[in-house]
Amino acid sequence: MSMHRPRSYTALSKGRRGTFGAATEDDLLTGEPRQIPSASALSVRTLASRGPIPTLTTLAARRFVENIRTLSSDERLWRYVRVWLKRLPDIVVPKLFIMLQRSCPNLLSHGFITLYFLRGPSVALSSALPGVLKQTIVSVTRNDTLHELCLLGFDKYPDSFFASLVSSLPQLRILVLRGCTKVSVRTAKAVASRRFLAKVNFNYTGVTPASLGDILNSCSSLEVLKVAGISSWTDATFAKLLDCLSEANAVFTNLRNLKLRQLSLSDASVQPFLARCPNLKRLDVSFTHVRRSPFGTNSIPALEKLTLTSINMPPMDIVTLIASLPHLQTLALGALGGGGQGSFVAVGNISAMSMTDEALALLTDRLVVLKDLEKVNLAGNSKLGLTSRGNGALADFVRKVGRRLKQLNLSGLQNLKSGDMCGLMGETSEDPPRLEELSLNHTGVDDEAAPYLSRCSSLVSLRLAGTKITSAGLFPIIDACPKLEQVDLTSCRGIKIADRRRFFDVWEEDWKDT
């Protein structure tokens, strides 16, 4: 699948299997030129699991999902299966329902869903499911012990519909309404009445800043708040929220995760709001009009994740900010200087980029002392590598920081060459890189990078779209990386088009054991 597909509100991402607030497609920036359409060529293989042994319920659910078409085609057998579906423990139902949505969505009719899958502690419904009707969503209200509700992409139903729904769920703790574009003031008022809510996702809805004030003041247990991509949010409209909070002298001590991505907010709005969030752990202000430290002169919380993609904040200010974040685990600095709210236009414009080799050298010195750092995204910073070759800033970064990360994204750095990856080699053969995911899409790497990439024995995902890699270079990488499951070869002209999606099969047929 393409890592750079148009934004969709309807797909239930794998991130839902983990904790609420896990990375989503919003967090991705691959550096692929957006004006050039290309068919995805992701080659995938399935390896024996090396992780913890799945639970018996998980194994049973997988087998049921694999065989549901066969089971449902036998009417007598299917009657027996339906009896056992009714008897499933509530705690198992949400997991099975998610697995069915991914595997066979067309089998999930309105009747089937309402009979068997709207119980348990959580319910997730997407507009991508053809069997989900308005009445399907209404039926959720029969579950009066529901703690988590996730509704994705239902953009046809009015604000009053969602307000009524939320008002009927007294035990709600987690609410996701991503892409339900007509959600607005009425729903926000209903949400404010659910005082024990811990996590709320209003991304790509119509919620106003002023209506958010009631939620913040009422839901004192709120830990996660996401309000990305709402076009009506400006400094002028946000001022109403700031006035409301100032009157109440509100401080949100429980708020840990805040997403303000793709909002037309500047420092004048962001800084005073963050001053009321002393215990934040995760912050995303990507594609906003923030130009200075989002915390201003206020104290800086102990952030673990910071996302500053495509903002016009000077790199030197970022370096200074990072020096105050000793516990940072995830850092996204894609396409710095790339424009404002929702702007991807400047990502391919080298002159707009502000991250230079000099700035990267200073950043490297700051990152090298961060012991908890695991993920870094520098995608789209197209000035990197422009003024140095060989053992320059990029090579130094890979050697000192990149090789000890678990995830590294350098996509869209056209001046990144194979030699810049030499830092993956390490000083001894007993010191392999920790990398599990490496993205080098649309960089200048070629077969000369093969010896360096082959050192990444823990690699699970490797993205090489639009590079000069050939089969001869890729074969030894697969040899050396036994955990590798995904390779993106989109637009790799050195590899036959027919081989790009099935390259693991090609490796088996033409190279392995030869």
Side-chain angles (χ1 to χ4, degrees), residues 200-307:
V200 176
N201 186 330
F202 284 136
N203 290 351
Y204 311 106
T205 64
V207 169
T208 65
S211 64
L212 192 65
D214 290 338
I215 297 174
L216 289 168
N217 287 326
S218 299
C219 303
S220 59
S221 300
L222 197 64
E223 298 177 10
V224 177
L225 176 62
K226 298 189 176 186
V227 284
I230 307 177
S231 59
S232 62
W233 283 48
T234 64
D235 285 340
T237 58
F238 199 79
K240 298 178 181 179
L241 172 60
L242 292 177
D243 289 343
C244 171
L245 300 180
S246 180
E247 291 176 4
N249 196 24
V251 178
F252 312 116
T253 55
N254 288 319
L255 196 62
R256 299 291 189 270
N257 185 341
L258 178 63
K259 176 172 281 192
L260 301 176
R261 186 186 184 99
Q262 267 182 280
L263 303 176
S264 294
L265 301 181
S266 71
D267 301 313
S269 295
V270 174
Q271 289 180 0
F273 185 77
L274 293 185
R276 301 180 182 277
C277 309
N279 298 317
L280 274 184
K281 296 295 183 182
R282 303 161 69 93
L283 175 65
D284 185 349
V285 291
S286 297
F287 302 101
T288 64
H289 299 316
V290 168
R291 293 178 178 272
R292 296 293 176 184
S293 168
F295 300 99
T297 58
N298 301 301
S299 60
I300 300 174
L303 291 182
E304 297 174 355
K305 178 178 180 180
L306 177 61
T307 307

Side-chain angles (χ1 to χ4, degrees), residues 39-357:
S40 168
L42 185 65
S43 185
V44 179
R45 66 175 171 179
T46 301
L47 299 175
S49 174
R50 292 179 169 83
I53 298 175
T55 63
L56 183 59
T57 55
T58 298
L59 293 173
R62 288 177 183 173
R63 182 54 61 95
F64 175 74
V65 171
E66 290 170 2
N67 292 280
I68 188 172
R69 295 181 188 277
T70 301
L71 294 170
S72 61
S73 64
D74 184 326
E75 185 175 346
R76 186 180 65 84
L77 182 58
W78 188 237
R79 284 199 301 269
Y80 179 75
V81 169
R82 291 202 301 259
V83 171
W84 283 102
L85 279 175
K86 279 282 191 180
R87 294 178 180 177
L88 272 181
D90 285 354
I91 194 67
V92 177
V93 171
K95 178 190 291 188
L96 179 60
F97 188 34
I98 292 297
M99 293 170 71
L100 288 170
Q101 289 185 53
R102 294 184 185 131
S103 177
C104 45
N106 291 330
L107 292 182
L108 300 175
S109 65
H110 162 73
F112 191 42
I113 293 172
T114 53
L115 272 174
Y116 304 107
F117 297 110
L118 297 186
R119 58 190 177 93
S122 65
V123 171
L125 297 172
S126 164
S127 61
L129 289 173
V132 175
L133 310 176
K134 186 175 183 179
Q135 191 57 40
T136 314
I137 303 174
V138 171
S139 298
V140 170
T141 59
R142 299 202 302 253
N143 186 346
D144 56 6
T145 61
L146 188 69
H147 281 193
E148 178 179 354
L149 177 63
C150 178
L151 301 176
L152 302 181
F154 294 99
D155 55 3
K156 297 179 180 179
Y157 306 134
D159 188 25
S160 57
F161 172 75
F162 295 99
S164 175
L165 184 69
V166 171
S167 297
S168 302
L169 299 170
Q171 303 299 321
L172 209 56
R173 299 294 183 270
I174 298 174
L175 178 63
V176 179
L177 297 174
R178 177 186 167 98
C180 299
T181 54
K182 295 183 180 179
V183 164
S184 189
V185 176
R186 291 185 179 182
T187 302
K189 185 176 181 180
V191 170
S193 69
R194 306 277 76 93
R195 297 181 181 274
F196 296 104
L197 270 172
K199 303 170 184 180
V200 176
N201 186 330
F202 284 136
N203 290 351
Y204 311 106
T205 64
V207 169
T208 65
S211 64
L212 192 65
D214 290 338
I215 297 174
L216 289 168
N217 287 326
S218 299
C219 303
S220 59
S221 300
L222 197 64
E223 298 177 10
V224 177
L225 176 62
K226 298 189 176 186
V227 284
I230 307 177
S231 59
S232 62
W233 283 48
T234 64
D235 285 340
T237 58
F238 199 79
K240 298 178 181 179
L241 172 60
L242 292 177
D243 289 343
C244 171
L245 300 180
S246 180
E247 291 176 4
N249 196 24
V251 178
F252 312 116
T253 55
N254 288 319
L255 196 62
R256 299 291 189 270
N257 185 341
L258 178 63
K259 176 172 281 192
L260 301 176
R261 186 186 184 99
Q262 267 182 280
L263 303 176
S264 294
L265 301 181
S266 71
D267 301 313
S269 295
V270 174
Q271 289 180 0
F273 185 77
L274 293 185
R276 301 180 182 277
C277 309
N279 298 317
L280 274 184
K281 296 295 183 182
R282 303 161 69 93
L283 175 65
D284 185 349
V285 291
S286 297
F287 302 101
T288 64
H289 299 316
V290 168
R291 293 178 178 272
R292 296 293 176 184
S293 168
F295 300 99
T297 58
N298 301 301
S299 60
I300 300 174
L303 291 182
E304 297 174 355
K305 178 178 180 180
L306 177 61
T307 307
L308 302 174
T309 300
S310 195
I311 65 171
N312 288 319
M313 185 174 171
M316 296 303 102
D317 286 8
I318 293 176
V319 171
T320 301
L321 174 59
I322 290 172
S324 303
L325 302 174
H327 304 294
L328 198 63
Q329 299 174 13
T330 301
L331 177 64
L333 301 176
L336 288 179
Q341 184 258 345
S343 174
F344 289 92
V345 176
V347 169
N349 181 3
I350 293 181
S351 63
M353 298 297 110
S354 59
M355 175 65 81
T356 63
D357 289 328

Side-chain angles (χ1 to χ4, degrees), residues 301-462:
L303 291 182
E304 297 174 355
K305 178 178 180 180
L306 177 61
T307 307
L308 302 174
T309 300
S310 195
I311 65 171
N312 288 319
M313 185 174 171
M316 296 303 102
D317 286 8
I318 293 176
V319 171
T320 301
L321 174 59
I322 290 172
S324 303
L325 302 174
H327 304 294
L328 198 63
Q329 299 174 13
T330 301
L331 177 64
L333 301 176
L336 288 179
Q341 184 258 345
S343 174
F344 289 92
V345 176
V347 169
N349 181 3
I350 293 181
S351 63
M353 298 297 110
S354 59
M355 175 65 81
T356 63
D357 289 328
E358 180 183 7
L360 180 61
L362 295 174
L363 179 65
T364 298
D365 291 339
R366 294 295 188 188
L367 296 183
V368 75
V369 300
L370 300 182
K371 303 303 182 183
D372 299 326
L373 192 65
E374 294 188 338
K375 305 175 185 179
V376 172
N377 186 338
L378 296 176
N381 287 297
S382 47
K383 280 187 178 178
L384 291 180
L386 192 61
T387 60
S388 63
R389 293 291 185 270
N391 292 320
L394 277 170
D396 193 50
F397 171 81
V398 171
R399 179 170 55 256
K400 294 180 178 179
V401 179
R403 69 185 321 275
R404 65 183 181 84
L405 301 173
K406 289 187 176 180
Q407 295 181 18
L408 176 60
N409 190 344
L410 299 176
S411 296
L413 309 189
Q414 298 96 324
N415 297 294
L416 173 69
K417 306 302 180 185
S418 294
D420 294 318
M421 306 306 295
C422 65
L424 295 175
M425 293 298 289
E427 297 181 1
T428 68
S429 60
E430 303 299 321
D431 181 31
R434 296 177 64 207
L435 282 169
E436 297 175 2
E437 298 183 20
L438 177 60
S439 295
L440 299 172
N441 294 338
H442 304 283
T443 62
V445 299
D446 54 22
D447 288 353
E448 292 184 9
Y452 312 133
L453 299 181
S454 295
R455 289 284 291 132
C456 301
S457 55
S458 296
L459 209 58
V460 175
S461 175
L462 177 61

